[in-house]
Amino acid sequence: MTPTARPARQRLAPEVRRRQVLDAAVAVFSEQGFHGASMDDVAARAGLSKPMVYAHGGSKDELFAACLHREAERLLRSVEAASSGAATEDTSNDPQTRLWLGLRAFFHALTTRRAGWTVLYRQASTGEFAGEVDALRGRIVAQAAALMADGLGMPQEAVRPYAHTLVGAAEGLADWWLTGPAPVTGDDAADVLAGMLMSAAWPGLDALRSGRVWSPPRDRSGIASSPPVSPEG
């Protein structure tokens, strides 16, 4: 009787194996944090041996850094594609529309890839990777500044403080959604979160676009408590 042949083990391309390792690592790091996670955990989640994880992901530090950069690049590409009109055929060059699309892409990325957001902004915000997170966040702020400068007709350096404010508000809203009782879930979450931030931010940005700046209320003597702040610095 001829013995039954065992099926040959499937050989995957190195880039496929690396993606498999990174997917598993993001899930493990998001759940257990950098210090709590082990390479054994990553190997078990990926369904690979630990030597295979080291071969395709490097050391634990290198693997975590690779996760950070991949998730950041995904977020940046999503926002850029949406705000530039590459994601839709009917996008106008209206600044309000472009900002709305950019924010919606940002919130869509975090609501559909919660593990990636957790790694980026929670597990890595302190400790040895904080510097890398700050650098990646700087790229997101620069992307927002470029978008806002184009829409407001102002130099990027002049809008950079507002870009920092917008990104900080988006991060805070994201954390609120992820950690609290979310008012909406599923595919509508990104639209709701982007709409909330647009409601708070766009009236002020639209005023800046028209050259209007906010002035503090006057006291009873009729004298303003401080001079208005010009967007030009």
Side-chain angles (χ1 to χ4, degrees):
M1 182 175 179
T2 304
T4 302
R6 296 179 62 184
R9 184 175 180 179
Q10 185 180 13
R11 296 180 64 86
L12 299 178
E15 60 271 19
V16 177
R17 284 291 188 206
R18 180 167 173 80
R19 184 167 63 247
Q20 187 178 4
V21 169
L22 288 178
D23 288 344
V26 166
V28 171
F29 286 134
S30 71
E31 294 168 1
Q32 303 181 27
F34 174 73
H35 295 291
S38 71
M39 296 299 270
D40 287 316
D41 297 327
V42 176
R45 183 67 66 96
L48 300 171
S49 67
K50 190 158 71 169
M52 285 284 283
V53 171
Y54 279 111
H56 293 282
S59 68
K60 183 178 175 181
D61 283 15
E62 290 170 334
L63 183 57
F64 192 78
C67 290
L68 285 178
H69 286 281
R70 189 186 74 165
E71 296 308 308
E73 289 297 334
R74 282 180 168 180
L75 180 62
L76 287 162
R77 286 197 303 268
S78 296
V79 174
E80 174 62 26
S83 61
S84 66
T88 59
E89 297 180 357
D90 59 348
T91 302
S92 70
N93 199 37
D94 173 57
Q96 181 175 197
T97 301
R98 293 187 63 200
L99 181 59
W100 154 253
L101 291 173
L103 289 175
R104 188 172 64 174
F106 176 88
F107 288 116
H108 178 76
L110 76 93
T111 55
T112 56
R113 295 196 296 269
R114 296 176 66 149
W117 175 263
T118 300
V119 167
L120 264 178
Y121 282 92
R122 285 192 164 271
Q123 305 295 0
S125 59
T126 59
E128 55 265 52
F129 292 96
E132 291 191 52
V133 173
D134 285 343
L136 294 170
R137 186 179 186 276
R139 293 178 59 193
I140 296 173
V141 170
Q143 185 183 61
L147 174 62
M148 294 170 68
D150 182 51
L152 298 176
M154 294 163 55
Q156 285 195 32
E157 284 307 309
V159 302
R160 187 168 289 272
Y162 303 110
H164 272 281
T165 302
L166 185 69
V167 171
E171 292 169 350
L173 190 55
D175 272 344
W176 168 80
W177 184 84
L178 289 171
T179 59
V184 65
T185 58
D187 294 338
D188 293 332
D191 286 352
V192 171
L193 292 171
M196 291 171 70
L197 189 50
M198 283 293 293
S199 296
W202 179 251
L205 293 175
D206 191 37
L208 286 176
R209 192 163 63 111
S210 303
R212 305 190 309 274
V213 294
W214 180 86
S215 297
R218 296 177 178 274
D219 60 23
R220 292 183 179 180
S221 66
I223 301 175
S225 57
S226 62
V229 178
S230 169
E232 301 295 334

